[in-house]
Amino acid sequence: MKLPRRNFLAGSAALTAGAALGLQSGSAHAEIAMGDIKIDVVSDGSLTLPGGFIFDPMPRDELLPILDRYGQSAEVLTPPCNVTLLRQGDRTVLFDVGSGPDFSPNSGILLTSLAALGVTPEDVTDIIFTHAHPDHLWGLLDDFDDPLFPDASYMIGKKEWDYWMDPNTIDAVGESRASFAVGAQRRLSMIEDQITMFGDGEEIMPGIAARASVGHTPGHMALEIRNGTEAVMILGDSIGNDHIAFAKPGWASGSDQAPETAAATRTRLMDQLSHEKTRVIGYHLTGNGIGYVDKMSDGYAFVAEA
């Protein structure tokens, strides 16, 4: 059988990168089992960002001692990118698709990570987006600008879709994020006939419910996976790091499009998740992103699972 050129190149790149990274067939970034639901958290690499991207709005005299406590530089951020893969019965579901090759030189390795689990793009049946920022959406297309997951259906919050597809957003979002809007519109328009919108509180698939977590973007959604008494909350970027977001959730962050709204969302989520002891998966949280939120006397802390 002759493979299409796109598939051949994608497979070759995955094998080459996999060998370089020492990935073995069947290995996973991390695993969670919930009855007949299997969740793998796989890597799309990492980002390298200036510290000011998050820290500029924060009071520096209070900020620096906290960062020192966490061993976090104030000048450079290198957050991981953790993509969640869910398999149940005949469904193979991705929550976000990484950044692809066009956003950051240290990211875009999702295909490699999936290949290590024996998962191909053609295996993916459903894709659910938390939001449409580049490191979550731009992996939608391959090197030839064709949809990378040809047999998948797509889902996104209606408010998020409406925001990024509004032609006025490119001018309104600000110069530093204008390319985000251009990239989002181009990619989302290519799957317009295959995408379904959802709203807050909807069960979008059996056992998967949407939870509005706005502020980082206007329509950001967290996704709650539930099986009996077990639950996992996929946070997306509603809680965007494992240091200052936990220590001072009420502080405005430069990474959020509506900083005050995002801070209120983050504080509410921290309170809920710590109270309910809900396991979380954070896209940019340390290690594989899996852990719990612990309430402290002066804020919160991320407790990563071993």
Side-chain angles (χ1 to χ4, degrees), residues 212-228:
S213 47
V214 300
H216 183 68
T217 62
H220 189 288
M221 288 282 184
L223 287 311
E224 183 182 47
I225 303 169
R226 186 170 289 278
N227 189 348

Side-chain angles (χ1 to χ4, degrees), residues 58 72 106 110 206 253 256 269 283 298 303:
M58 300 176 181
Q72 169 61 51
N106 300 323
L110 179 60
S253 170
D256 297 323
L269 266 177
Y283 198 85
D298 58 347
V303 181

Side-chain angles (χ1 to χ4, degrees), residues 271-303:
D271 185 62
Q272 173 194 337
L273 295 167
S274 63
H275 176 73
E276 296 176 355
K277 305 299 181 188
T278 302
R279 181 187 262 157
V280 302
I281 301 174
Y283 198 85
H284 296 304
L285 299 188
T286 189
N288 55 45
I290 302 174
Y292 294 86
V293 179
D294 194 13
K295 187 171 178 57
M296 312 294 284
S297 60
D298 58 347
Y300 299 84
F302 177 58
V303 181

Side-chain angles (χ1 to χ4, degrees), residues 22-270:
L23 294 174
Q24 301 298 319
S25 178
S27 68
H29 193 47
E31 286 184 12
I32 298 173
M34 295 171 56
D36 66 338
I37 297 174
K38 181 179 181 182
I39 297 172
D40 294 286
V41 182
V42 296
S43 179
D44 189 49
S46 63
L47 304 178
T48 301
L49 304 169
F53 180 68
I54 287 178
F55 304 138
D56 273 356
M58 300 176 181
R60 197 163 181 86
D61 58 335
E62 296 180 61
L63 169 70
L64 292 179
I66 296 171
L67 296 183
D68 185 62
R69 189 168 79 229
Y70 279 91
Q72 169 61 51
S73 166
E75 308 305 323
V76 180
L77 293 154
T78 56
C81 298
N82 302 307
V83 177
T84 302
L85 171 74
L86 180 151
R87 285 176 283 184
Q88 182 183 31
D90 61 355
R91 313 310 298 175
T92 298
V93 185
L94 278 177
F95 296 83
D96 297 328
V97 292
S99 65
D102 298 328
F103 182 60
S104 174
N106 300 323
S107 62
I109 66 166
L110 179 60
L111 284 184
T112 301
S113 298
L114 292 175
L117 297 176
V119 176
T120 69
E122 290 75 17
D123 294 329
V124 176
T125 58
D126 306 273
I127 292 170
I128 304 171
F129 294 110
T130 61
H131 64 298
H133 273 168
D135 52 325
H136 298 254
L137 173 70
W138 284 17
L140 183 68
L141 303 181
D142 64 16
D143 291 339
F144 302 97
D145 277 351
D146 294 323
L148 182 58
F149 304 93
D151 300 318
S153 62
Y154 303 90
M155 287 174 269
I156 195 170
K158 185 177 188 308
K159 188 174 181 181
E160 186 77 354
W161 171 273
D162 289 345
Y163 174 76
W164 292 106
M165 294 303 285
D166 183 342
N168 296 318
T169 295
I170 292 173
D171 294 323
V173 74
E175 184 178 353
S176 64
R177 288 186 168 96
S179 64
F180 292 12
V182 172
Q185 286 184 16
R186 184 166 73 86
R187 287 163 176 82
L188 292 174
S189 65
M190 296 185 72
I191 57 170
E192 189 165 5
D193 295 336
Q194 300 160 264
I195 200 161
T196 301
M197 316 297 168
F198 58 82
D200 181 31
E202 290 186 27
E203 187 176 46
I204 60 176
M205 293 179 64
I208 302 175
R211 306 295 184 206
S213 47
V214 300
H216 183 68
T217 62
H220 189 288
M221 288 282 184
L223 287 311
E224 183 182 47
I225 303 169
R226 186 170 289 278
N227 189 348
T229 60
E230 292 187 278
V232 174
M233 187 76 78
I234 297 173
L235 298 172
D237 284 359
S238 57
I239 301 175
N241 60 72
D242 58 281
H243 37 82
I244 202 67
F246 282 82
K248 295 292 183 180
W251 281 4
S253 170
S255 65
D256 297 323
Q257 291 186 221
E260 291 184 4
T261 300
T265 293
R266 199 160 42 242
T267 302
R268 172 182 56 79
L269 266 177
M270 294 279 192

